[in-house]
Amino acid sequence: MSADISFLDGVMTVRLSGEIDHHSAADLRDSIDSAAERQNPKKLILDFSRVGFMDSSGIGLIMGRYRLIKEMGGSLSILGASDAIKRVIKLAGLERLGIAIA
């Protein structure tokens, strides 16, 4: 699992790749959180287009970043999730929080 993090005009984009499970989620959390705290983005985009698998640790990853970006006054969007990952996200009820899923 890796994360390529970029910033442009107040938007932080995190391009995830590989599998998100309990082994990889902690490192991802640390990387994303420290970058967000340095940059204070107004929008966080999590790009799942290169993620092949995600378990409940991925839901925790999304929820924690949602809370962080909300505290910063920003918003969270999820892009490129496969149908299987979208299904997990929807079953967890994340859309009801106002997280945009495209």
Side-chain angles (χ1 to χ4, degrees):
M1 172 48 66
S2 67
D4 176 33
I5 301 172
S6 61
F7 301 93
L8 181 63
D9 298 329
V11 177
M12 180 174 147
T13 302
V14 181
R15 289 175 185 84
L16 303 163
S17 61
E19 297 184 350
I20 301 175
D21 58 22
H22 72 280
H23 295 294
S24 61
D27 289 338
L28 290 172
R29 280 193 303 269
D30 293 343
S31 297
I32 295 168
D33 290 357
S34 63
E37 289 166 0
R38 283 192 311 272
Q39 297 294 325
N40 195 27
K42 293 302 167 201
K43 183 171 187 172
L44 172 59
I45 298 171
L46 299 178
D47 182 347
F48 280 78
S49 60
R50 293 182 282 171
V51 174
F53 171 81
M54 179 180 86
D55 66 11
S56 61
S57 300
I59 296 300
L61 176 77
I62 295 168
M63 286 297 302
R65 297 336 32 100
Y66 169 77
R67 282 190 217 104
L68 177 66
I69 198 70
K70 280 304 210 185
E71 288 174 6
M72 295 178 168
S75 63
L76 173 67
S77 295
I78 297 173
L79 297 178
S82 68
D83 289 341
I85 291 174
K86 282 182 186 177
R87 191 168 32 258
V88 171
I89 291 169
K90 289 177 182 181
L91 286 171
L94 298 184
E95 286 180 309
R96 290 180 293 217
L97 298 174
I99 297 173
I101 302 171

